[in-house]
Amino acid sequence: MFDEIEKFMTVPDEWAPPESKPYTPGENLQHWLTDEKARDQFVIRAGSDTEVLWNDARQLKADPVYKRNFWTESYVQWSPLGTYLATVHRQGAAVWGGASTFNRLMRYAHPQVKLIDFSPGEKYLVTYSSHEPSNPRDTHKVVLNIFDVRTGKIMRDFKGSADDFAIGGSGGFCWSLVACFQMGWREG
């Protein structure tokens, strides 16, 4: 292509090996599985506070792990295997993880997102939004994005009117991972 001519004209005549970056291991996102007391973690959201706690049934009290104010504007959700904690915001969603730090691992841009869900193996994150039409005669607009959880890249998106995606009649929208997978998108 003509666009690539400049790129190929600036290639140096002598080859230079690329710089190697030292390996830095990431935090173990499933560290909670190694708890000495074999406890589970759970999350509570009350008002503007969100708190992750250990469930210690023998002591009949919860041990705090992490607490944060204004962590989300909507709700939080664990991934199916407990690797990630997802938060929902006006601009999109984010996933967090770590032993006790809950660092942000990735953001997923989807304005006005209403619902999210993970694929069973936590490889994909599905985000959904519907927008009210400005004209009452128009139909609701629906946006459904499927993101790769680790890279944040949109793997597939579905946009259109709610009637285009209705299952079992017009006007309704049945959204789920099952519906996405039936449309030909498989985790693997």
Side-chain angles (χ1 to χ4, degrees):
M1 295 205 150
F2 287 115
D3 300 354
E4 297 177 344
I5 291 175
E6 266 188 58
K7 177 179 139 185
F8 293 123
M9 294 301 288
T10 59
V11 173
D13 292 335
E14 292 192 28
W15 179 79
E19 283 186 37
S20 63
K21 297 177 185 174
Y23 173 72
T24 53
E27 191 172 6
N28 182 1
L29 299 178
Q30 296 179 330
H31 179 74
W32 61 274
L33 290 170
T34 62
D35 182 54
E36 298 167 353
K37 299 178 184 177
R39 301 174 294 179
D40 281 330
Q41 288 182 352
F42 65 98
V43 65
I44 293 178
R45 184 167 179 325
S48 62
D49 295 334
T50 305
E51 192 167 1
V52 178
L53 303 129
W54 286 111
N55 181 20
D56 199 343
R58 284 180 258 175
Q59 294 187 6
L60 299 175
K61 68 173 189 162
D63 287 334
V65 175
Y66 187 81
K67 183 177 183 178
R68 189 165 173 177
N69 292 343
F70 302 105
W71 200 359
T72 181
E73 297 165 7
S74 184
Y75 65 94
V76 295
Q77 178 177 327
W78 288 110
S79 61
L81 302 176
T83 308
Y84 308 105
L85 182 64
T87 56
V88 179
H89 312 272
R90 281 187 304 249
Q91 304 90 350
V95 294
W96 308 76
S100 61
T101 57
F102 285 93
N103 295 316
R104 183 176 54 226
L105 302 172
M106 187 59 61
R107 290 183 194 178
Y108 310 94
H110 185 147
Q112 305 300 320
V113 64
K114 292 183 180 172
L115 299 170
I116 64 168
D117 201 1
F118 286 89
S119 64
E122 298 181 345
K123 188 171 181 178
Y124 303 108
L125 176 72
V126 179
T127 60
Y128 165 81
S129 65
S130 66
H131 307 282
E132 294 283 332
S134 56
N135 184 346
R137 286 173 271 189
D138 292 338
T139 62
H140 284 76
K141 297 294 180 193
V142 172
V143 178
L144 189 133
N145 293 324
I146 301 174
F147 293 93
D148 182 290
V149 170
R150 291 186 182 214
T151 65
K153 180 182 174 188
I154 292 181
M155 304 304 289
R156 184 117 189 232
D157 66 341
F158 301 92
K159 297 177 182 174
S161 70
D163 293 337
D164 294 341
F165 299 107
I167 297 174
S170 64
F173 182 76
C174 175
W175 93 281
S176 69
L177 284 173
V178 174
C180 292
F181 295 141
Q182 287 174 347
M183 288 187 266
W185 191 254
R186 305 251 185 258
E187 182 173 18

